[in-house]
Amino acid sequence: MGDDRTRFATAGSLKAYAGSAPITRASGKSCKVMSRKVKNQRLAAVGYVWAFNSLTRSPGARAHYDRRRAAGDRHIAAQRNLFNRFMGMLFHCLQNGHTHDEAAAFPQASAAIRAAAA
């Protein structure tokens, strides 16, 4: 991404650069959602490793991935969706100078974990 934090004006532009944002092709009655082919290959490769590794380390990421799988996404689509969410979080943290907070990033999973512990 470089040293210039103002390089990307929106989270969507960062997601497109990373290749995590989906492309929707619509024509007539057909509509397809596909992954991007033109992207920063290194950032995209790291993103998939980041998303895959977070499945075992982050309960919020695991819950998000499981929700996407239950909704009918295949493994790679659910993983790309998780990576897309991480890119949005990264953009927010870089723009505002915050550190990552699991409870703020995945509030649904945090509430479920607190309810299970009680």
Side-chain angles (χ1 to χ4, degrees), residues 29-49:
K29 293 182 180 180
S30 67
C31 181
K32 292 184 180 180
V33 178
M34 305 180 314
S35 62
R36 292 182 179 271
K37 302 296 181 213
V38 179
K39 58 190 168 199
N40 182 314
Q41 296 295 336
R42 289 181 180 180
L43 186 55
V46 167
Y48 283 105
V49 172

Side-chain angles (χ1 to χ4, degrees), residues 53-73:
N53 190 38
S54 70
L55 294 177
T56 58
R57 310 257 190 251
S58 166
R62 170 50 85 174
H64 180 79
Y65 173 84
D66 290 342
R67 273 195 311 276
R68 295 300 301 189
R69 290 288 290 167
D73 284 357

Side-chain angles (χ1 to χ4, degrees), residues 1-15 86-100:
M1 292 175 22
D3 295 334
D4 185 13
R5 291 186 180 190
T6 61
R7 180 177 180 186
F8 301 102
T10 64
S13 60
L14 175 60
K15 292 174 182 183
F86 280 148
M87 291 308 294
M89 290 180 222
L90 177 64
F91 180 82
H92 173 77
C93 289
L94 289 175
Q95 293 299 314
N96 299 313
H98 298 151
T99 58
H100 177 72

